[in-house]
Amino acid sequence: TCAYLLYDWLDEWFTVYRAPKLRDGGYDLRHTIEKHVKPNIDNKPLDEYTAHDIAKALDGVRSERMRQITRQVYKQSFREAVRAGFIDRNPVDNVDGVKHKYENGRALPHSEEAEFLQVSAKCPLALLFRFYLLTGARPSEPLRVKWEDVSPDMLRIRGTKTTGSDRSIPISEDLRGLLDEIPRTDELLFPYTYGNVLRYFNRFRSSLSFEMTIKDLRHTFGTRCVEAGVSMKTVQKWMGHSKIETTAQYYTHILSEFERSEVERLNVRKTTD
């Protein structure tokens, strides 16, 4: 029997093999392991797991995307255990892959953005949700921003996803006003865990008249930049995309739609002259 129980091995695998390779120290991965991996599977020696055990555990994960990520955690951790000589086989090899259609998210129309701001204003984390809208930060990025990252004119976003995701953006008047409202009680602007952020977000989300995710706030920022005439290259830099093609994929159609609406204004003006 293998000396390692699964939970202990997951902790060791994360600490030794994964966290050192991730620029954020594995913040999101640790959350996934504790929230979605361990709660859905029994803790027993590594060599006692079967493909059926893994498939049953994956069935306990509600979201397709999270099932896909959870399967990757199982596959990679068991694979490392095989390489280390703790077990002879990887039980995940005989578990079907999880298909997930990736959703890019959406930008909130102006009316929904106004409703979101009104409803979220009653939340203790209201300043954080406005920060998402004014910076285009990815869901976990604001939780790593320190006061030392705030200069008179620029704000550093400690990105982790790609090479260009660690970036600086200019501080707009609205963002400056928001920063002035945040109390300086910690070296971090927002000393919260991502789990707390999700809990607060889910509490007031049911009060909205529309469906949304936190990531939609990022896309709303990008869309407002394009609508304001900010160049695609600049939007790429502010959003932390490593390739301009990624930015174009998200926002070129928005630019086209916005330009069509502007043309309609011109047409209306001609008919009234």
Side-chain angles (χ1 to χ4, degrees):
T1 300
C2 179
Y4 270 106
L5 297 178
L6 177 61
Y7 293 3
D8 294 333
W9 173 246
L10 285 171
D11 292 339
E12 177 119 347
W13 169 77
F14 171 80
T15 302
V16 175
Y17 298 100
R18 297 303 300 142
K21 298 178 181 179
L22 300 172
R23 291 181 61 191
D24 64 347
Y27 181 94
D28 291 335
L29 179 57
R30 167 55 71 186
H31 175 75
T32 297
I33 292 172
E34 298 299 331
K35 179 79 173 179
H36 301 284
V37 179
K38 291 181 179 180
N40 289 299
I41 195 167
D42 293 332
N43 188 27
K44 56 185 182 181
L46 293 179
D47 57 356
E48 293 185 12
Y49 286 95
T50 65
H52 176 72
D53 292 327
I54 305 300
K56 186 177 179 181
L58 292 174
D59 283 341
V61 182
R62 296 178 59 184
S63 143
E64 278 188 355
R65 174 58 178 157
M66 192 51 63
R67 276 201 302 276
Q68 187 181 64
I69 294 173
T70 300
R71 184 183 182 278
Q72 290 173 351
V73 170
Y74 287 132
K75 186 175 181 65
Q76 292 174 12
S77 61
F78 276 106
R79 181 178 62 196
E80 210 60 58
V82 172
R83 289 177 176 175
F86 299 134
I87 55 177
D88 297 326
R89 58 178 179 77
N90 188 337
V92 189
D93 288 343
N94 293 319
V95 178
D96 291 339
V98 179
K99 294 182 179 180
H100 169 70
K101 182 179 179 182
Y102 180 73
E103 298 292 340
N104 286 336
R106 70 181 186 96
L108 303 182
H110 288 277
S111 59
E112 291 183 358
E113 181 182 353
E115 180 182 342
F116 171 80
L117 288 171
Q118 181 180 14
V119 173
S120 64
K122 303 172 185 177
C123 173
L125 273 57
L127 296 177
L128 170 61
F129 293 119
R130 281 170 55 198
F131 186 90
Y132 284 119
L133 273 173
L134 293 174
T135 62
R138 294 182 176 90
S140 64
E141 287 178 339
L143 309 183
R144 291 186 288 270
V145 177
K146 300 180 179 181
W147 283 109
E148 65 186 48
D149 298 325
V150 181
S151 66
D153 300 313
M154 303 293 288
L155 170 70
R156 179 190 176 193
I157 302 292
R158 295 172 180 259
T160 59
K161 187 172 182 181
T162 65
T163 304
S165 62
D166 194 315
R167 60 204 183 273
S168 293
I169 63 173
I171 298 177
S172 64
E173 290 185 9
D174 288 340
L175 181 55
R176 170 58 63 193
L178 172 63
L179 293 171
D180 289 342
E181 292 182 53
I182 300 173
R184 296 192 178 220
T185 57
D186 193 276
E187 67 171 351
L188 296 171
L189 274 66
F190 303 104
Y192 315 128
T193 66
Y194 189 52
N196 283 335
V197 175
L198 287 177
R199 277 193 290 274
Y200 277 109
F201 178 75
N202 289 330
R203 284 178 190 174
F204 71 76
R205 182 169 57 173
S206 59
S207 301
L208 298 170
S209 63
F210 54 90
E211 293 291 327
M212 68 166 295
T213 67
I214 291 180
K215 195 172 182 181
D216 293 341
L217 300 176
R218 170 172 165 81
H219 291 295
T220 301
F221 170 80
T223 298
R224 297 295 174 263
C225 288
V226 173
E227 291 175 349
V230 177
S231 72
M232 203 65 72
K233 189 67 178 176
T234 301
V235 174
Q236 175 198 358
K237 180 181 177 182
W238 291 354
M239 298 292 287
H241 292 151
S242 59
K243 299 179 180 179
I244 189 70
E245 290 81 6
T246 303
T247 313
Q249 175 187 348
Y250 284 123
Y251 301 111
T252 298
H253 71 284
I254 296 170
L255 179 60
S256 299
E257 292 169 3
F258 182 69
E259 287 177 341
R260 281 196 295 271
S261 67
E262 293 297 286
V263 169
E264 287 304 315
R265 292 187 184 185
L266 181 61
N267 292 338
V268 170
R269 179 179 178 183
K270 287 182 177 180
T271 58
T272 57
D273 285 346

PDB file of all heavy atoms in Angstrom, residues 35-36 39-41 53-63 67 70:
ATOM      1  N   LYS A  35     -11.593  23.555  -2.782  1.00  0.00           N
ATOM      2  CA  LYS A  35     -13.021  23.760  -3.009  1.00  0.00           C
ATOM      3  C   LYS A  35     -13.653  22.660  -3.849  1.00  0.00           C
ATOM      4  O   LYS A  35     -14.814  22.275  -3.624  1.00  0.00           O
ATOM      5  CB  LYS A  35     -13.224  25.109  -3.700  1.00  0.00           C
ATOM      6  CG  LYS A  35     -14.659  25.462  -4.035  1.00  0.00           C
ATOM      7  CD  LYS A  35     -15.414  25.972  -2.846  1.00  0.00           C
ATOM      8  CE  LYS A  35     -16.792  26.484  -3.251  1.00  0.00           C
ATOM      9  NZ  LYS A  35     -17.559  26.966  -2.097  1.00  0.00           N
ATOM     10  N   HIS A  36     -12.926  22.144  -4.846  1.00  0.00           N
ATOM     11  CA  HIS A  36     -13.544  21.242  -5.818  1.00  0.00           C
ATOM     12  C   HIS A  36     -12.920  19.853  -5.886  1.00  0.00           C
ATOM     13  O   HIS A  36     -13.586  18.915  -6.324  1.00  0.00           O
ATOM     14  CB  HIS A  36     -13.505  21.877  -7.214  1.00  0.00           C
ATOM     15  CG  HIS A  36     -14.199  23.180  -7.301  1.00  0.00           C
ATOM     16  ND1 HIS A  36     -15.575  23.297  -7.338  1.00  0.00           N
ATOM     17  CD2 HIS A  36     -13.720  24.457  -7.337  1.00  0.00           C
ATOM     18  CE1 HIS A  36     -15.910  24.568  -7.407  1.00  0.00           C
ATOM     19  NE2 HIS A  36     -14.806  25.290  -7.405  1.00  0.00           N
ATOM     20  N   PRO A  39     -13.183  17.879  -1.618  1.00  0.00           N
ATOM     21  CA  PRO A  39     -14.521  17.587  -1.088  1.00  0.00           C
ATOM     22  C   PRO A  39     -15.289  16.504  -1.857  1.00  0.00           C
ATOM     23  O   PRO A  39     -16.268  15.975  -1.328  1.00  0.00           O
ATOM     24  CB  PRO A  39     -15.241  18.944  -1.195  1.00  0.00           C
ATOM     25  CG  PRO A  39     -14.167  19.961  -1.233  1.00  0.00           C
ATOM     26  CD  PRO A  39     -13.052  19.302  -1.994  1.00  0.00           C
ATOM     27  N   ASN A  40     -14.869  16.197  -3.081  1.00  0.00           N
ATOM     28  CA  ASN A  40     -15.651  15.274  -3.905  1.00  0.00           C
ATOM     29  C   ASN A  40     -15.053  13.877  -4.017  1.00  0.00           C
ATOM     30  O   ASN A  40     -15.542  13.062  -4.794  1.00  0.00           O
ATOM     31  CB  ASN A  40     -15.826  15.870  -5.311  1.00  0.00           C
ATOM     32  CG  ASN A  40     -16.756  17.056  -5.297  1.00  0.00           C
ATOM     33  OD1 ASN A  40     -17.919  16.951  -4.935  1.00  0.00           O
ATOM     34  ND2 ASN A  40     -16.240  18.218  -5.690  1.00  0.00           N
ATOM     35  N   ILE A  41     -14.007  13.599  -3.237  1.00  0.00           N
ATOM     36  CA  ILE A  41     -13.375  12.283  -3.338  1.00  0.00           C
ATOM     37  C   ILE A  41     -12.890  11.843  -1.961  1.00  0.00           C
ATOM     38  O   ILE A  41     -12.462  12.664  -1.146  1.00  0.00           O
ATOM     39  CB  ILE A  41     -12.192  12.324  -4.343  1.00  0.00           C
ATOM     40  CG1 ILE A  41     -11.763  10.924  -4.740  1.00  0.00           C
ATOM     41  CG2 ILE A  41     -11.036  13.140  -3.795  1.00  0.00           C
ATOM     42  CD1 ILE A  41     -10.838  10.901  -5.955  1.00  0.00           C
ATOM     43  N   ASP A  53     -13.474   5.683  -9.401  1.00  0.00           N
ATOM     44  CA  ASP A  53     -13.394   6.656  -8.300  1.00  0.00           C
ATOM     45  C   ASP A  53     -13.250   8.079  -8.842  1.00  0.00           C
ATOM     46  O   ASP A  53     -13.902   9.019  -8.367  1.00  0.00           O
ATOM     47  CB  ASP A  53     -12.201   6.344  -7.396  1.00  0.00           C
ATOM     48  CG  ASP A  53     -12.364   5.052  -6.630  1.00  0.00           C
ATOM     49  OD1 ASP A  53     -13.506   4.716  -6.272  1.00  0.00           O
ATOM     50  OD2 ASP A  53     -11.343   4.376  -6.398  1.00  0.00           O
ATOM     51  N   ILE A  54     -12.384   8.235  -9.842  1.00  0.00           N
ATOM     52  CA  ILE A  54     -12.146   9.569 -10.413  1.00  0.00           C
ATOM     53  C   ILE A  54     -13.385  10.067 -11.155  1.00  0.00           C
ATOM     54  O   ILE A  54     -13.795  11.224 -10.998  1.00  0.00           O
ATOM     55  CB  ILE A  54     -10.939   9.540 -11.370  1.00  0.00           C
ATOM     56  CG1 ILE A  54      -9.693   8.987 -10.661  1.00  0.00           C
ATOM     57  CG2 ILE A  54     -10.675  10.943 -11.923  1.00  0.00           C
ATOM     58  CD1 ILE A  54      -9.257   9.774  -9.448  1.00  0.00           C
ATOM     59  N   ALA A  55     -14.002   9.191 -11.961  1.00  0.00           N
ATOM     60  CA  ALA A  55     -15.198   9.587 -12.710  1.00  0.00           C
ATOM     61  C   ALA A  55     -16.320   9.986 -11.760  1.00  0.00           C
ATOM     62  O   ALA A  55     -17.041  10.978 -11.998  1.00  0.00           O
ATOM     63  CB  ALA A  55     -15.646   8.437 -13.612  1.00  0.00           C
ATOM     64  N   LYS A  56     -16.489   9.246 -10.677  1.00  0.00           N
ATOM     65  CA  LYS A  56     -17.522   9.564  -9.689  1.00  0.00           C
ATOM     66  C   LYS A  56     -17.243  10.897  -9.016  1.00  0.00           C
ATOM     67  O   LYS A  56     -18.149  11.698  -8.776  1.00  0.00           O
ATOM     68  CB  LYS A  56     -17.588   8.447  -8.649  1.00  0.00           C
ATOM     69  CG  LYS A  56     -18.720   8.600  -7.641  1.00  0.00           C
ATOM     70  CD  LYS A  56     -18.756   7.414  -6.689  1.00  0.00           C
ATOM     71  CE  LYS A  56     -19.867   7.580  -5.657  1.00  0.00           C
ATOM     72  NZ  LYS A  56     -19.890   6.437  -4.705  1.00  0.00           N
ATOM     73  N   ALA A  57     -15.971  11.161  -8.720  1.00  0.00           N
ATOM     74  CA  ALA A  57     -15.599  12.437  -8.104  1.00  0.00           C
ATOM     75  C   ALA A  57     -15.881  13.603  -9.043  1.00  0.00           C
ATOM     76  O   ALA A  57     -16.362  14.657  -8.620  1.00  0.00           O
ATOM     77  CB  ALA A  57     -14.119  12.410  -7.716  1.00  0.00           C
ATOM     78  N   LEU A  58     -15.595  13.429 -10.320  1.00  0.00           N
ATOM     79  CA  LEU A  58     -15.834  14.494 -11.304  1.00  0.00           C
ATOM     80  C   LEU A  58     -17.321  14.789 -11.438  1.00  0.00           C
ATOM     81  O   LEU A  58     -17.720  15.933 -11.678  1.00  0.00           O
ATOM     82  CB  LEU A  58     -15.245  14.112 -12.655  1.00  0.00           C
ATOM     83  CG  LEU A  58     -13.710  14.055 -12.720  1.00  0.00           C
ATOM     84  CD1 LEU A  58     -13.256  13.532 -14.074  1.00  0.00           C
ATOM     85  CD2 LEU A  58     -13.113  15.420 -12.449  1.00  0.00           C
ATOM     86  N   ASP A  59     -18.162  13.767 -11.278  1.00  0.00           N
ATOM     87  CA  ASP A  59     -19.606  13.975 -11.353  1.00  0.00           C
ATOM     88  C   ASP A  59     -20.101  14.904 -10.254  1.00  0.00           C
ATOM     89  O   ASP A  59     -21.161  15.518 -10.384  1.00  0.00           O
ATOM     90  CB  ASP A  59     -20.342  12.638 -11.248  1.00  0.00           C
ATOM     91  CG  ASP A  59     -20.293  11.851 -12.548  1.00  0.00           C
ATOM     92  OD1 ASP A  59     -20.020  12.464 -13.591  1.00  0.00           O
ATOM     93  OD2 ASP A  59     -20.513  10.621 -12.508  1.00  0.00           O
ATOM     94  N   GLY A  60     -19.324  15.003  -9.171  1.00  0.00           N
ATOM     95  CA  GLY A  60     -19.719  15.875  -8.068  1.00  0.00           C
ATOM     96  C   GLY A  60     -19.393  17.335  -8.279  1.00  0.00           C
ATOM     97  O   GLY A  60     -19.761  18.187  -7.467  1.00  0.00           O
ATOM     98  N   VAL A  61     -18.698  17.641  -9.374  1.00  0.00           N
ATOM     99  CA  VAL A  61     -18.341  19.032  -9.690  1.00  0.00           C
ATOM    100  C   VAL A  61     -19.377  19.575 -10.668  1.00  0.00           C
ATOM    101  O   VAL A  61     -19.577  19.022 -11.751  1.00  0.00           O
ATOM    102  CB  VAL A  61     -16.928  19.115 -10.300  1.00  0.00           C
ATOM    103  CG1 VAL A  61     -16.551  20.563 -10.582  1.00  0.00           C
ATOM    104  CG2 VAL A  61     -15.914  18.467  -9.364  1.00  0.00           C
ATOM    105  N   ARG A  62     -20.038  20.632 -10.317  1.00  0.00           N
ATOM    106  CA  ARG A  62     -21.203  21.105 -11.078  1.00  0.00           C
ATOM    107  C   ARG A  62     -20.844  21.703 -12.430  1.00  0.00           C
ATOM    108  O   ARG A  62     -21.443  21.396 -13.438  1.00  0.00           O
ATOM    109  CB  ARG A  62     -21.983  22.128 -10.240  1.00  0.00           C
ATOM    110  CG  ARG A  62     -22.576  21.547  -8.967  1.00  0.00           C
ATOM    111  CD  ARG A  62     -23.299  22.597  -8.163  1.00  0.00           C
ATOM    112  NE  ARG A  62     -24.389  23.209  -8.910  1.00  0.00           N
ATOM    113  CZ  ARG A  62     -25.131  24.217  -8.461  1.00  0.00           C
ATOM    114  NH1 ARG A  62     -24.877  24.739  -7.276  1.00  0.00           N
ATOM    115  NH2 ARG A  62     -26.102  24.711  -9.187  1.00  0.00           N
ATOM    116  N   SER A  63     -19.886  22.595 -12.458  1.00  0.00           N
ATOM    117  CA  SER A  63     -19.552  23.316 -13.677  1.00  0.00           C
ATOM    118  C   SER A  63     -18.684  22.478 -14.609  1.00  0.00           C
ATOM    119  O   SER A  63     -17.750  21.808 -14.171  1.00  0.00           O
ATOM    120  CB  SER A  63     -18.861  24.626 -13.314  1.00  0.00           C
ATOM    121  OG  SER A  63     -17.855  24.980 -14.194  1.00  0.00           O
ATOM    122  N   ARG A  67     -15.050  21.015 -13.854  1.00  0.00           N
ATOM    123  CA  ARG A  67     -14.789  19.583 -13.999  1.00  0.00           C
ATOM    124  C   ARG A  67     -13.546  19.346 -14.844  1.00  0.00           C
ATOM    125  O   ARG A  67     -12.735  18.468 -14.572  1.00  0.00           O
ATOM    126  CB  ARG A  67     -15.999  18.871 -14.636  1.00  0.00           C
ATOM    127  CG  ARG A  67     -17.075  18.490 -13.660  1.00  0.00           C
ATOM    128  CD  ARG A  67     -17.961  17.382 -14.198  1.00  0.00           C
ATOM    129  NE  ARG A  67     -18.616  17.710 -15.447  1.00  0.00           N
ATOM    130  CZ  ARG A  67     -19.743  18.397 -15.557  1.00  0.00           C
ATOM    131  NH1 ARG A  67     -20.347  18.846 -14.460  1.00  0.00           N
ATOM    132  NH2 ARG A  67     -20.274  18.643 -16.732  1.00  0.00           N
ATOM    133  N   THR A  70     -10.564  20.259 -12.698  1.00  0.00           N
ATOM    134  CA  THR A  70     -10.390  19.254 -11.646  1.00  0.00           C
ATOM    135  C   THR A  70      -9.785  17.977 -12.216  1.00  0.00           C
ATOM    136  O   THR A  70      -8.900  17.352 -11.599  1.00  0.00           O
ATOM    137  CB  THR A  70     -11.737  18.950 -10.977  1.00  0.00           C
ATOM    138  OG1 THR A  70     -12.262  20.152 -10.398  1.00  0.00           O
ATOM    139  CG2 THR A  70     -11.582  17.903  -9.880  1.00  0.00           C
TER     140      THR A  70
END
